[in-house]
Amino acid sequence: MAIDGLIILDNAGRVVAQSGFHSFPAAYPLLHIDALNNALANASRSDDVDPVLYVPGINMDTPSACCHVKRGDLRYLCPVSGDVDPLYAFAFLQTFVDILHEYFGHVSAETLKENFDVVYQLLEETLDAGGHPLTTSPNALRDIVLPPTLLHKVLSVAGVSGLATSSANSHPFASPIPWRKAGVRYNNNEIFFDVVETLDAIVNKNGTTAVSSVWGRVESNCKLSGTPDLLLTFSNASTLNDCSFHPCVRLQRWSRDKVLSFVPPDGKFKLMEYRYTPVSASSLNQVSVPFILRPTVKVEDHGGSIEVVLSSRLTTRTMENVFVELYLGEGATGASCLASHNASWSFNPRTLSLVWELKTVVPSASYTLRGSFTSSNEMPRPSRAFRVRFEIPQHNFSALKIEQLKLTGETYKPYKGMRGNSLGDIEWRW
């Protein structure tokens, strides 16, 4: 199972960078670029394009597939041929995107062009000539491909070599542990955990939750010296299901005792992902949505009227960055609304959507949006559901907490910190 290569396109469909494709004709990557650009041009919305596209071969006898994802303003393409699982390609694409963020922070076409030498080195190191993922651990990559800094650029322009290495006595793969550097030293030994959970739910028009699920991830920032061996215990680990882990985690220990035993990578990494299942969860007992939406939509000739009331169910927490969105249907030409509490609204002519934005929703408060919309169609057909996105800082739906953190292999006592953050993406039908 192998990947044919990787292509990065800007928002205009032009190539920013691509791997070599040494084993394929020169026209092979162009076929996939044209297939994606044509699919985007023929689609009414870019989200309607399938993530896997059929690409006919040059001689119509060797077809292939184009797996693509959009991250920011860039599109990442992974051509595959033969018996290859598309999920294999998507996993590599996401890994490569994470590596770019690790190296450059904000990733854009301009950033990649300014650091094209680093980008092409990363392409060569992460994907070998046979199309198999090679080195994808950021800690191992930093020893091979130096991150772009001002000092490295100045030394490179000046033609000075040998001064920009990560340390005087380090060399690639010096550590016996692939994901951790050798000889790491810090004055303050500390490790931080961010627990981010996302609530996905569908609510019927009568306000009853039809289905809901909470997906979470634990991200860590490790600044520990030496080679620490950690044992992390959660307060309610039995509610975590469908878990996936960083390669550093010992799976047998989690399966037996529901504790995380691992030697952490240095720096930032994703420790685990999970699905939260309440202890009393059943078809009638879902994770509750933290607000109530009372929408009234009346469709008339060439338009309609809208009235939406949003009330918070929370008693102590404040929701932030709340977006209520309604697709007004094909032919929508505009909207005129009035929002309470100095909230803002907008009509996006590109997506034909009405967006109501609330910076904060305080506990037990209600907010109202009233207005109308116009359409060139005689009988408009707006979406039958609102999409509501929100954020709740310092909160977790699962109430997950660190019960204990033990360290062996080193003599110091580390400082540990944990913070939670909750996100929501709700479909509320009317």
Side-chain angles (χ1 to χ4, degrees), residues 103-394:
Y103 267 74
F104 307 119
H106 174 69
V107 180
S108 64
E110 291 73 20
T111 304
L112 299 185
K113 290 176 181 177
E114 291 173 0
N115 302 279
F116 71 93
D117 54 335
V118 177
V119 175
Y120 276 94
Q121 288 182 70
L122 291 175
L123 285 171
E124 291 295 324
E125 296 297 338
T126 55
L127 198 65
D128 65 12
H132 301 282
L134 195 58
T135 305
T136 58
S137 174
N139 280 294
L141 280 172
R142 287 194 198 98
D143 290 336
I144 308 170
V145 182
L146 296 177
T149 64
L150 182 60
L151 175 61
H152 294 160
K153 291 181 180 180
V154 171
L155 294 177
S156 177
V157 172
V160 180
S161 62
L163 298 179
T165 55
S166 56
S167 61
N169 55 356
S170 67
H171 56 86
F173 310 112
S175 172
I177 303 175
W179 55 81
R180 185 167 181 85
K181 292 181 179 180
V184 178
R185 287 289 177 265
Y186 289 100
N187 292 329
N188 297 321
N189 293 286
E190 53 194 15
I191 184 169
F192 301 97
F193 299 96
D194 285 327
V195 180
V196 182
E197 295 182 342
T198 302
L199 171 63
D200 294 319
I202 298 176
V203 182
N204 292 329
K205 61 181 180 180
N206 57 5
T208 304
T209 303
V211 61
S212 67
S213 60
V214 175
W215 296 92
R217 64 183 186 273
V218 180
E219 298 177 345
S220 180
N221 189 3
C222 178
K223 299 179 180 180
L224 300 178
S225 303
T227 309
D229 200 325
L230 302 180
L231 187 67
L232 180 64
T233 306
F234 292 116
S235 58
N236 52 348
S238 60
T239 61
L240 308 184
N241 296 288
D242 301 332
C243 300
S244 62
F245 302 96
H246 189 277
C248 67
V249 176
R250 301 179 179 98
L251 299 181
Q252 290 185 349
R253 190 65 187 273
W254 172 262
S255 301
R256 186 177 70 245
D257 304 325
K258 291 295 182 181
V259 296
L260 293 179
S261 175
F262 60 100
V263 176
D266 182 51
K268 297 181 180 179
F269 67 99
K270 186 185 297 181
L271 180 60
M272 67 177 294
E273 293 180 299
Y274 59 88
R275 179 176 61 88
Y276 166 63
T277 305
V279 176
S280 58
S282 67
S283 59
L284 300 177
N285 188 8
Q286 307 279 353
V287 178
S288 61
V289 176
F291 62 88
I292 300 175
L293 199 69
R294 299 183 182 89
T296 303
V297 180
K298 296 180 180 179
V299 179
E300 303 166 355
D301 292 344
H302 297 286
S305 61
I306 299 173
E307 181 175 349
V308 185
V309 179
L310 186 145
S311 304
S312 174
R313 282 176 171 165
L314 302 176
T315 56
T316 58
R317 299 287 183 180
T318 298
M319 291 192 293
E320 297 182 358
N321 301 321
V322 180
F323 294 88
V324 182
E325 182 177 347
L326 177 66
Y327 173 63
L328 298 180
E330 292 293 334
T333 56
S336 176
C337 299
L338 181 64
S340 64
H341 297 76
N342 294 321
S344 62
W345 67 272
S346 62
F347 172 73
N348 191 328
R350 186 175 62 86
T351 60
L352 304 179
S353 298
L354 176 66
V355 181
W356 179 24
E357 179 180 355
L358 301 100
K359 295 294 184 183
T360 58
V361 174
V362 298
S364 304
S366 296
Y367 301 78
T368 306
L369 176 74
R370 293 186 181 92
S372 60
F373 67 95
T374 57
S375 175
S376 60
N377 292 347
E378 183 176 354
M379 287 301 295
R381 298 187 63 183
S383 172
R384 298 295 299 179
F386 286 82
R387 181 186 182 189
V388 184
R389 292 169 291 157
F390 63 88
E391 179 180 351
I392 308 176
Q394 304 297 324

